[in-house]
Amino acid sequence: MKDEELQKLVESISEEWFELSFNHAATFNSRLRTTGGRYLLRSHNLEFNKKHFDQFGMEELIGIIKHELCHYHLHLKRKGYKHEDQDFKKLLNQVGGSRYCQVVPGQRRIEDYKHLYECRDCMTKYKRKRKMDTAKYVCGRCRGRLRKIS
């Protein structure tokens, strides 16, 4: 599917399910990794993850399009467009959009940890993805000094 076909699909879903026109751009964004799509607040454009369509098909893409169109139409009407707003939840339920998208295999990086620290007093171990300043931080259990193990 190309961007032109996606644009027509989004316009038709907007007309059919929301009875409102979609007057902005809908495109695929190859840089999206952890989400199926996104609504851009300033430009009002929609971006979609092509890998979701390739992996899971048209039904998954339509659910994501409905979800993003809920953000789009509610924001333009100045109603609650965020995930936690009741307006958003109600409209999403009415049109049958997907609340969450499936995970594309290999897209999300799952790192266990890179750095291991240990308290010098109570020997509690701390696994961290980011490096810590051992002069600034202390043990949360006993307030002892930390040292880097690996």
Side-chain angles (χ1 to χ4, degrees):
M1 177 180 282
K2 298 200 185 293
D3 284 347
E4 296 81 23
E5 296 171 55
L6 176 67
Q7 179 74 31
K8 289 178 183 173
L9 179 63
V10 171
E11 289 171 0
S12 67
I13 290 173
S14 182
E15 288 287 337
E16 180 182 343
W17 288 93
F18 297 87
E19 297 175 355
L20 296 166
S21 62
F22 177 74
N23 302 319
H24 293 86
T27 58
F28 284 117
N29 183 344
S30 61
R31 289 172 288 132
L32 294 180
R33 294 195 180 277
T34 60
T35 184
R38 68 179 172 186
Y39 167 59
L40 302 171
L41 290 172
R42 291 191 177 156
S43 66
H44 305 296
N45 294 337
L46 300 179
E47 294 180 341
F48 298 96
N49 188 340
K50 185 147 180 15
K51 293 176 187 85
H52 276 274
F53 173 67
D54 295 339
Q55 190 77 28
F56 303 110
M58 185 62 81
E59 190 173 324
E60 177 77 6
L61 180 63
I62 289 173
I64 295 169
I65 290 171
K66 288 178 182 178
H67 178 104
E68 299 308 324
L69 282 172
C70 288
H71 289 300
Y72 172 81
H73 289 301
L74 288 171
H75 183 249
L76 292 179
K77 288 181 180 178
R78 303 198 190 299
K79 292 186 176 180
Y81 63 90
K82 297 179 183 175
H83 289 126
E84 65 267 12
D85 294 330
Q86 290 302 315
D87 291 332
F88 178 80
K89 290 178 183 178
K90 184 179 174 186
L91 183 60
L92 187 67
N93 196 24
Q94 284 175 356
V95 299
S98 59
R99 183 86 166 114
Y100 303 102
C101 62
Q102 298 181 48
V103 176
V104 176
Q107 284 296 299
R108 295 189 182 187
R109 275 190 336 207
I110 300 171
E111 294 178 16
D112 192 20
Y113 64 92
K114 290 181 182 176
H115 306 281
L116 183 63
Y117 298 90
E118 181 180 62
C119 175
R120 294 179 186 199
D121 297 336
C122 69
M123 303 303 179
T124 301
K125 292 186 177 9
Y126 295 93
K127 298 175 181 178
R128 295 288 179 263
K129 290 182 182 180
R130 295 186 181 183
K131 198 172 184 178
M132 287 174 48
D133 181 3
T134 55
K136 185 177 179 182
Y137 295 100
V138 296
C139 177
R141 179 180 279 172
C142 72
R143 316 271 307 151
R145 292 187 47 97
L146 299 175
R147 69 176 173 174
K148 183 167 180 160
I149 297 174
S150 63

